């Protein structure tokens, strides 16, 4: 922290208690330290009378009001309540309100404090008689009013520090009085000799260090001005003395232990620091008086903005000054932190701290420690605890060797501080080691657990591997433990346990998910295809069969699933919940499949109708010869399709009865057959609804209205098949009537008599006619003319036009081949073989011709050619 000319320290009393401040002052000749004290509260207990001392210098004789002073606190630390009350009444301090200032002075004994105050403020404090020797003059704390200074200013003269009368070890009152002055003053004069600047124990530095430490704990910032007055100034310029003094004060502030609330509080928040220098009073009295008079001007309007105490805070009204001072002194007296050791203890403190810092720095740079710390950053170091313990023992042993002659209490305290700092040094490496141990143990646990789980099951493997890993962690922590530290690795152990539990939970969740998916997949495979098959062959007992299938497969899956879950050591509630979920999954599979099949119900109905309509009882394709009852077949096929629709209407896994099938028969089949008779009668349509009375909406697959629409669409799409069957039956009847009508026969006999007689007279015509008949018959058979015309006249003509010429050419080719074989020499002994060859060739030719193949009707029926028949 840097202190500039205008910056400083400040303290404000807690709960309305007064405060102190030290701040920057402009350069003034001379060497004086001024402390201004502000009061804080009100009344005290009467104990001491006012005291009036005669002026010790002729120059003060004309300062009337300055002759009244009172001992505020005696040498034993007793507060003079009655005296301060009488003093306030005498000088009328209570009438000043907030327009007053408090100035105090501290410094070594016999350093001229009282003399400076008397010359500076016109007071009549008792001064030392140099002709009687140097001894204690002021005991306790004295209070007086400044003469002819505005605003109203009260001055406190403190007992000198480092006095022979109190001895080396009795320094408590010095600290208490200094803290009291800083706590209630606006300006504090710190009197010091010029030749003490740069010394460690001079200039009240130890005193300031103690007071600063305690006041930050007892009081809040108040912005007190510290005016360092350098006495008996030498030839050294003030410009060279002031920076040294400011630097020393800053070091005191930086090194003093601070409470958490003021950890980063700068010096300027508590104090304003100013420095002036004064010549020697004995050797240069005239110059001394001139410099004091110049300094006196700075105390005029000191509380105004820009004055010495212009930025003070927490001012207590003048009427409460007495009570405030009493309460502050009570707080200071009860504070045990001011009972500090004497000079030899202070020396031991400084030297032991230096030794401890040297050992700490040496250990931090020690090559063995640096290598060990670097190794610990990357991996586990075997024997880490023993190695670090040896390094710390070496450092502490070196400290003990060098500090063994100093005060034991101080040496022990500093050793504890050194040990604490050493542990802070090695703590990061130790924590890193614990992190490596935790990671290594966790990785080993995962690997071991994966292997053990396959052999012993999840629960057994989890328990055994967890116990083994925690024991391994404890052994590794013992190896890394440092003897000087009582560090508990339980937090890391708990974190490791949480990591293991998290991993176990993750693996358990993953395995349970896999197991659940496995059994759900098995159940789905066992149900999906059978459910589809049962729904496709819909009948009266379809849903009964589905319930039995679901129950059988679900019980099998649940049994296997429960057996698999037993290795996980789950609680019964969780197991029951998972088993119920599997059962629900099986039920959902059936319902989902049913909904899926319900979406294809129209296709299923048409397939069933087509199967029953186009095939007979032996599953052979029907040939519409004219003897089949198409109406009865159609009715039977539609009834079967309606049965399929009634099965697919709703989900019936709960064995509940309904009248859906009867409703559909009544509304769709019976209504259509009786529609002509009851056309004039307006009846209520049972399908004019969006829900079934017996079936909940969540189990409804096809609503009544949808059933009606599906049936209408079904009939429209199957009507063509029925029409084709009727047309095929009529065509077959026409083809089977070979003889013409009787009148045609009579006409042929009458009109063809001449031609008949001509044939009888010339038998050659009969041969020609026979040959033409054979050729025509062969062409008829080869072209399958009757089969071609079954599909219609125009398609038959088109088909015959494409096949006529190739068929005729093929027949002529065969006749030519037969003629060549007849002209060839007969092969004796093989007439039967030649005949068979001829017949086989004819048969082969007839079968290879596409016209002899089976032709199918447009609606899928198959017919055989007459030749094959």
């Amino acid at each position: 922290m840097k202190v500039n000319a205008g910056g400083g320290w400040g303290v404000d009393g807690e709960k309305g208690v007064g405060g102190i401040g030290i701040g920057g002052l402009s350069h003034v000749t001379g060497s004086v330290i001024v402390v201004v004290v502000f009061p804080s509260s009100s009344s005290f207990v009467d104990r001491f009378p006012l005291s009036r001392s005669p002026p010790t210098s002729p120059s003060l004789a004309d300062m009337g009001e300055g002759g009244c002073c009172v001992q505020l606190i005696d040498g034993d630390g007793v507060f003079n309540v009655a005296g301060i009350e009488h003093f306030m009444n005498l000088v009328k301090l209570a009438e000043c309100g907030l327009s007053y200032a408090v100035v105090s002075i501290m410094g070594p004994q016999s350093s001229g404090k009282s003399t400076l105050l008397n010359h500076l403020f016109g007071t009549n404090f008792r001064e030392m008689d140099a002709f009687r020797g140097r001894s204690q003059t002021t005991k306790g704390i004295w209070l007086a009013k400044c003469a002819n200074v505005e605003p109203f200013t009260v001055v406190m003269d403190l007992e000198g520090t480092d006095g022979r009368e109190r001895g080396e070890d009795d320094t408590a009152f010095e600290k208490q009085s200094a803290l009291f002055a800083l706590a209630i003053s606006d300006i504090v004069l710190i009197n010091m000799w010029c030749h003490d600047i740069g010394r460690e124990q001079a200039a009240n530095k130890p005193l300031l260090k103690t007071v600063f430490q305690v006041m930050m704990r007892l009081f809040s910032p108040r912005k007190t001005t510290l005016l360092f007055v350098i006495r008996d100034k030498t030839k050294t310029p003030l410009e060279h003395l002031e920076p040294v003094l400011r630097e020393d004060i800053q070091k005191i502030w930086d090194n003093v232990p601070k409470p958490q609330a003021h950890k980063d509080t700068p010096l300027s928040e508590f104090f304003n620091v100013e420095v002036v220098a004064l010549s020697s009073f004995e050797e240069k009295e005239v110059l001394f008086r001139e410099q004091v008079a110049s300094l006196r001007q700075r105390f005029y309007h000191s509380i105004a903005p820009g004055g010495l105490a212009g930025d003070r805070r927490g001012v207590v009204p003048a009427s409460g000054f007495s009570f405030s001072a009493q309460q502050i002194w009570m707080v200071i007296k009860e504070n045990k932190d001011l009972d500090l050791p004497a000079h030899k203890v202070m020396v031991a403190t400084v030297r032991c701290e230096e030794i401890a810092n040297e050992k700490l720095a040496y250990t931090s740079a020690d090559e063995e420690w640096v290598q060990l710390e670097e190794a610990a950053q990357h991996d586990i170091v075997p024997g880490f605890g023993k190695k670090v313990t040896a390094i710390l023992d070496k450092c502490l042993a070196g400290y003990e060797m060098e500090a063994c002659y100093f005060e034991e209490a101080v040496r022990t305290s500093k050793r504890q501080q050194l040990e604490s700092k050493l542990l802070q040094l090695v703590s990061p490496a130790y924590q890193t080691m614990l992190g490596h141990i935790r990671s290594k143990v966790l990785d080993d646990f995962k690997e071991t657990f994966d292997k053990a789980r396959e052999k012993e099951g999840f629960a057994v493997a989890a328990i055994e591997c967890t116990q083994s890993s925690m024991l391994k962690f404890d052994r590794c922590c013992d190896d890394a433990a440092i003897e000087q530290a009582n560090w508990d690795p339980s937090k890391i152990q708990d974190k490791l346990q949480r990591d293991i539990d998290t991993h176990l939970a993750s693996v358990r969740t993953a395995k349970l998910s896999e197991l659940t998916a496995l059994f759900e997949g098995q159940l789905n495979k066992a149900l999906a295809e059978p459910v589809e098959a049962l729904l496709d062959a819909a009948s009266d007992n379809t849903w009964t069969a589905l319930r039995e299938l679901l129950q059988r497969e679900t019980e099998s899956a649940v049994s296997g699933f429960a057996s698999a879950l037993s290795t996980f050591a789950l609680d019964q509630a969780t197991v029951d919940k998972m088993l119920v979920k599997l059962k629900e999954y099986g039920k959902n599979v059936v319902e989902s499949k049913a909904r899926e099949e319900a979406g294809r119900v129209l296709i299923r109905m048409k397939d069933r109708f087509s199967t029953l309509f186009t095939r007979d009882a032996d599953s052979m394709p029907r040939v519409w010869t004219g003897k089949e009852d198409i109406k009865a077949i159609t009715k039977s096929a539609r009834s079967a399709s309606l049965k399929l629709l009634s099965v697919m209407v709703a989900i019936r896994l709960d064995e509940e009865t309904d009248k859906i099938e009867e409703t559909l028969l009544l509304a769709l089949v019976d209504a259509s057959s009786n529609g002509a008779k009851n056309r004039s009668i307006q009846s209520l349509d049972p399908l004019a609804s969006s829900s079934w009375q017996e079936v909940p909406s969540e189990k409804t697959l096809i609503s009544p209205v949808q059933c009606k629409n599906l049936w209408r669409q079904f009939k429209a799409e199957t009507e063509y098949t029925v029409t084709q069957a009727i047309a095929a039956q009529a065509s077959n009847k026409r083809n089977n009537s070979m003889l013409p009508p009787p009148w045609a026969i009579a006409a042929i006999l009458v009109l063809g008599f001449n031609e008949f007689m001509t044939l009888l007279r010339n038998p050659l015509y009969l041969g020609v006619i026979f040959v033409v008949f054979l050729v025509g018959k062969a062409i008829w058979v080869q072209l399958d003319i009757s089969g071609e015309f079954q599909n219609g006249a125009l398609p038959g003509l088109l088909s015959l036009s494409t096949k006529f010429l190739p068929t005729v050419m093929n027949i002529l080719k065969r006749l030519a081949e037969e003629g060549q074989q007849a002209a060839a020499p007969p092969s004796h002994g093989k007439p039967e073989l030649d005949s068979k060859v001829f017949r086989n060739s004819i048969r082969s030719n007839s079968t290879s011709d596409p016209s002899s193949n089976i032709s199918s009707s447009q609606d899928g029926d198959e017919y055989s050619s007459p030749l094959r028949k």
Side-chain angles (χ1 to χ4, degrees), residues 55-189:
T56 58
S57 173
S59 63
L60 301 176
D62 56 345
M63 298 181 184
E65 290 183 359
C68 178
C69 63
V70 61
Q71 189 178 30
L72 182 63
I73 300 172
D74 67 5
D76 297 328
V78 180
F79 196 93
N80 185 4
V81 179
I84 190 174
E85 292 288 348
H86 184 65
F87 172 81
M88 290 182 62
N89 293 332
L90 183 65
V91 300
K92 301 179 180 180
L93 176 61
E95 300 176 3
C96 296
L98 298 178
S99 182
Y100 73 100
V102 181
V103 181
S104 61
I105 189 169
M106 66 174 65
Q109 180 174 301
S110 302
S111 60
K113 300 188 299 299
S114 301
T115 301
L116 175 61
L117 293 179
N118 291 338
H119 284 80
L120 187 60
F121 299 111
T123 56
N124 60 349
F125 295 116
R126 180 183 176 186
E127 300 178 5
M128 182 189 72
D129 188 356
F131 296 97
R132 294 184 179 181
R134 304 182 69 84
S135 60
Q136 188 180 48
T137 303
T138 303
K139 294 184 178 181
I141 300 176
W142 288 77
L143 188 67
K145 176 183 179 297
C146 297
N148 302 321
V149 176
E150 291 294 336
F152 191 104
T153 302
V154 179
V155 179
M156 287 196 310
D157 189 10
L158 275 65
E159 177 180 324
T161 61
D162 198 20
R164 178 179 60 82
E165 288 76 4
R166 289 192 178 271
E168 180 183 8
D169 296 330
D170 188 11
T171 59
F173 185 81
E174 296 177 5
K175 282 57 173 188
Q176 292 172 348
S177 60
L179 181 59
F180 177 74
L182 289 172
I184 69 172
S185 301
D186 297 312
I187 304 173
V188 178
L189 302 177

Side-chain angles (χ1 to χ4, degrees), residues 384-405:
F384 177 83
K386 293 181 179 179
K387 294 178 181 179
V388 174
T389 299
I391 294 174
L392 299 185
D393 285 341
K394 179 181 177 181
C395 178
L396 295 174
Y399 168 82
E400 289 290 347
M401 184 179 297
E402 295 187 28
C404 61
Y405 297 106

Side-chain angles (χ1 to χ4, degrees), residues 599-619:
R600 299 198 295 263
V601 65
L602 181 59
I603 299 175
R604 297 292 188 187
M605 291 170 64
K606 291 192 296 183
D607 290 344
R608 173 167 291 194
F609 177 84
S610 177
T611 300
L612 296 178
F613 186 78
T614 60
R615 294 183 179 272
D616 56 17
D618 297 328
S619 298

Side-chain angles (χ1 to χ4, degrees), residues 201-222:
Q201 303 300 325
N204 296 297
K205 289 182 182 179
L207 176 62
L208 286 177
K209 182 176 181 179
T210 303
V211 171
F212 287 172
Q213 178 179 351
V214 178
M215 71 177 295
M216 280 189 294
R217 185 171 59 82
L218 298 180
F219 308 103
S220 57
R222 188 176 182 274

Side-chain angles (χ1 to χ4, degrees), residues 519-553:
F519 280 91
E520 286 180 351
Q522 294 177 356
L523 188 57
N524 182 70
K525 184 177 181 181
L527 291 175
E529 293 183 359
V531 168
E532 183 177 352
L534 288 173
L535 291 176
D536 186 31
S539 61
D540 292 334
N541 61 346
T542 296
W543 284 105
T544 302
L546 287 175
R547 285 193 293 269
E548 293 175 356
L549 173 68
L550 175 62
Q551 183 177 3
R552 181 175 65 254
E553 297 298 338

Side-chain angles (χ1 to χ4, degrees), residues 535 543 589-598 648 651 701:
L535 291 176
W543 284 105
V589 168
V590 176
E591 293 182 355
S592 176
K593 202 64 181 177
R595 295 183 186 278
E596 181 180 344
E597 292 299 316
M648 300 300 301
I651 299 173
L701 300 179

Side-chain angles (χ1 to χ4, degrees), residues 346-419:
M346 188 175 299
V347 173
T349 301
V350 174
R351 183 57 188 146
C352 289
E353 187 171 352
E354 291 177 353
I355 296 173
N357 291 335
E358 291 174 1
K359 296 302 176 184
L360 179 63
Y362 175 79
T363 303
S364 301
D366 183 63
E367 184 177 355
E368 181 181 1
W369 161 247
V370 172
Q371 294 178 353
L372 185 63
E373 184 181 25
E374 184 177 357
Q377 297 297 323
H378 300 90
D379 199 359
I380 297 176
V381 180
F384 177 83
K386 293 181 179 179
K387 294 178 181 179
V388 174
T389 299
I391 294 174
L392 299 185
D393 285 341
K394 179 181 177 181
C395 178
L396 295 174
Y399 168 82
E400 289 290 347
M401 184 179 297
E402 295 187 28
C404 61
Y405 297 106
F406 291 100
E407 188 74 16
E408 182 178 1
V410 176
R411 183 176 73 247
T412 303
S413 174
K414 294 301 178 181
R415 185 186 187 280
Q416 293 175 351
Q417 294 180 11
L418 173 60
E419 186 173 348

